[in-house]
Amino acid sequence: GENVEQHPSTLSVQEGDSAVIKCTYSDSASNYFPWYKQELGKRPQLIIDIRSNVGEKKDQRIAVTLNKTAKHFSLHITETQPEDSAVYFCAATPFTGTASKLTFGTGTRLQVTL
Amino acid sequence: DARVTQTPRHKVTEMGQEVTMRCQPILGHNTVFWYRQTMMQGLELLAYFRNRAPLDDSGMPKDRFSAEMPDATLATLKIQPSEPRDSAVYFCASGLGVTQETQYFGPGTRLLVL
């Protein structure tokens, strides 16, 4: 089955700096890669996703890049703000048109300091 | 703004008692997932359903856990008998499945087994 590794486990950046979180996956059939943000005591919420037919996707201050050859994808947050502080999870799945079984990374705790 | 709902939000029980958690997926979603989240194990997939039929419950301890979908608007996860190691946050998520791979999470049930 799929295995997703995520690094780093914790990340501290100053407000205004950029943050990068990296994930690798093992199943070359995986074609859908979402990123979830989970604030303390809250549900995981989808913030951005990318499919294997594109290499990069951007939404305001967040972007995701995908390297299918190397089987890794990354989340980039620019101009970080205190409200970006949360745990971020990457995930991967070989979606085939039936139910997609997401495999999650272990999470990155991002702390944005003033 | 349609959302997945879960009840109860919090549950404290004693070891050996039965626990039932309920989930109402977003109307029209045909896939439902149950996850368990702990600090040590992260987000683990316990079971998932498509069109109310179980597709995979390999992540679930079969001797004490059971998952069902009595109808399209209700999914249940039961633990009998409960044990202290079951203490965790249990999330339900739903998705469109065949047409879309994104999963939307409910607020979770925080379970504490004493």
Side-chain angles (χ1 to χ4, degrees):
Chain A
E2 177 63 278
N3 181 50
V4 176
E5 295 189 356
Q6 184 172 348
H7 299 281
S9 56
T10 60
L11 180 60
S12 181
V13 299
Q14 284 197 322
E15 183 179 7
D17 288 349
S18 295
V20 180
I21 302 170
K22 298 181 180 181
C23 290
T24 60
Y25 61 98
S26 61
D27 189 348
S28 56
S30 284
N31 56 10
Y32 175 65
F33 308 90
W35 286 87
Y36 285 83
K37 174 184 179 182
Q38 187 178 25
E39 297 176 359
L40 189 62
K42 301 288 183 64
R43 74 185 78 193
Q45 290 197 296
L46 180 73
I47 55 171
I48 196 167
D49 55 13
I50 192 168
R51 292 166 180 82
S52 58
N53 57 344
V54 298
E56 184 174 357
K57 183 176 179 181
K58 190 174 181 181
D59 183 3
Q60 299 183 347
R61 295 185 300 106
I62 60 174
V64 58
T65 58
L66 171 65
N67 183 327
K68 287 188 294 183
T69 303
K71 287 191 278 188
H72 67 71
F73 56 112
S74 300
L75 177 72
H76 304 254
I77 306 174
T78 58
E79 300 173 19
T80 53
Q81 301 169 2
E83 52 263 39
D84 295 329
S85 296
V87 178
Y88 292 81
F89 292 94
C90 62
T93 185
F95 186 68
T96 58
T98 58
S100 59
K101 180 178 174 179
L102 285 174
T103 300
F104 283 87
T106 50
T108 296
R109 184 174 300 278
L110 174 64
Q111 180 71 42
V112 180
T113 58
L114 297 173
Chain B
D1 184 22
R3 287 196 168 197
V4 177
T5 58
Q6 289 184 247
T7 57
R9 297 291 308 278
H10 303 272
K11 176 73 176 179
V12 180
T13 190
E14 293 187 345
M15 182 174 62
Q17 296 298 305
E18 177 178 301
V19 175
T20 298
M21 291 169 270
R22 294 175 175 82
C23 167
Q24 183 172 23
I26 294 172
L27 189 64
H29 283 191
N30 65 355
T31 59
V32 174
F33 304 81
W34 282 105
Y35 292 92
R36 177 169 63 185
Q37 186 175 40
T38 62
M39 289 294 294
M40 296 301 294
Q41 299 295 329
L43 270 168
E44 301 175 89
L45 178 67
L46 297 175
Y48 69 107
F49 296 77
R50 182 162 76 94
N51 294 328
R52 297 175 55 199
L55 288 190
D56 187 343
D57 61 1
S58 59
M60 207 164 62
K62 304 287 193 308
D63 57 337
R64 299 185 300 107
F65 285 60
S66 62
E68 295 180 344
M69 280 201 74
D71 61 60
T73 64
L74 176 65
T76 62
L77 180 66
K78 291 185 181 182
I79 308 174
Q80 169 63 18
S82 58
E83 297 181 1
R85 59 178 168 156
D86 301 328
S87 298
V89 181
Y90 291 81
F91 287 103
C92 171
S94 72
L96 284 169
V98 173
T99 57
Q100 234 271 34
E101 56 280 78
T102 303
Q103 296 181 22
Y104 299 88
F105 281 76
T109 294
R110 188 173 297 273
L111 174 65
L112 178 61
V113 183
L114 301 174

